[in-house]
Amino acid sequence: MEKYIVNGGKPLRGEVVISGAKNAAVAILPATVLAGDVCVLENVPDISDIHYEIEMLKSIGASVERLGRTRLRIDTSTVNSAVIPHELGVKMRASYYFLGSLLSRFGEGNVPMPGGCDLGARPIDQHLKAFNALGASDELDYAMICVKAEHLRGEHIFFDTVSVGATINAMLAASMAEGTTILENVAKEPHVVDVANFLNTMGADVRGAGTDVIKIRGTRNMHGCTYTIVPDQIEAGTFMVAAAATKGDIWIRNVEPKHLESITSKLRVVGATVTESDDSVHVVGADRYTSTNIKTMPHPGFPTDLQPVMGALLCTAEGTSIITEGIWDSRFKYCDELIKMGASIQVNGRVAVFEGVEKLRPAPVKATDLRAGAALVIAALMAEGQSEIAEIQHVERGYVDIVKKIRALGGDITKVEIPEDALRKAY
Ligand code: EPU
């Protein structure tokens, strides 16, 4: 079992280069199926979710070659199966993007009920609503979701809830359908726009991504392309908060400052200094922060994926801060861990009330999901002394080289392997 050992209390200083966006990449890899040709992807984050999707692509007959750490050559002309093996698909959430891409190209997709972070109920009714509207049937067979269509036809689809996954899956399915599809009440996240840009580079005709309405004219003339994945706004936001929380000074490079406006504005409100330039942001921390209230919302609102890291910072902000989670039922599990570090937090359903304490104290804690893990890394960097973070596989699903990047900024974090034997003796 692996853990992080963090000796906190040191400000992070220097510069960090942000990797490609996980939530764009995990949709773009399945989307290459539409090309039936060779795609070269650049700025691909080297994280375990991507490793699983490479295996999924290979399992359906695609050939995937690494041209470098962040470059992949994917040939989907040889895809000969529409079934994602159960043991692979359940490892992550985004395996469900193979439903949209396989359905679009072959009229059939079979994917296991997806896994991913446990954030409460994660239905896929809106994905299925879109597939059904385009003419596909769906069936659940031994925990496999099977979607099938003789012929996909464009439709007017109004989503009941704003969903990143359903918006992307509908774009994938509609790209090769006959006629025009109009999607309303869609997600506007930067990764939704990035997937639309990728589809267009492969020959699709997707317009309006980033607004409330997306229009897709279906085409069968898709082809390969070379595409560079957008920088990860959540990784960038995490380092921005880490700079502020450790009273540090970090230049965050390879970012799109426009995608970071909600976190930039919150950090300024609590007292950090944030300066934007073309493709960087510079964050300088303050000695003490003031409290604030946050409500997470679909883009361009405050992103739910940065809620836990801001929670870590607010533990020591002067006064009372209230975080209201607007997307997920269960995204405050990290608060129990922060309480072990001396934080004063009351959670009631989707609302958490933080009473600022003077400082956090080191403790052994565990990551309960990906962003919870990032929050605990930041909390451990804030707390003077040695903390241990367990269950770090969650963190490594989504952050490229997090240990290396923090160490380069002067943070004292090490990944250690604790032998199972030692663990048995300890308990
Ligand atoms: N929802 C439905 N029905 C659906 C789909 C979603 O009711 O068919 C609800 C969800 O239950 C939730 C809300 O709609 O309450 C939003 O869910 P969404 O579909 O937007 O989330 P997702 O696509 O499953 C992606 C990211 C998450 C991120 C959310 C919200 C990926 C792979 N995951 O999830 O990222 O929190 O959008 O922005 O893109 C993370 O990176 O840590 C992470 C969890």
Side-chain angles (χ1 to χ4, degrees), residues 72-99:
L72 292 178
R73 180 185 185 279
I74 302 173
D75 183 353
T76 55
S77 64
T78 48
V79 171
N80 53 17
S81 162
V83 184
I84 298 295
H86 192 271
E87 66 280 9
L88 275 176
V90 291
K91 287 185 189 286
M92 59 185 289
R93 189 89 205 143
S95 51
Y96 58 30
Y97 290 131
F98 281 100
L99 281 176

Side-chain angles (χ1 to χ4, degrees), residues 38 64 67 71 107 110 135 148 164 173 190-191 194 196 212 251 267 270 279 347 356:
V38 175
V64 185
L67 303 177
R71 286 183 87 217
N110 303 270
K148 220 178 240 182
V164 169
H191 31 288
D194 206 42
D212 291 312
W251 280 95
L267 285 174
V270 297
D279 64 349
V347 178

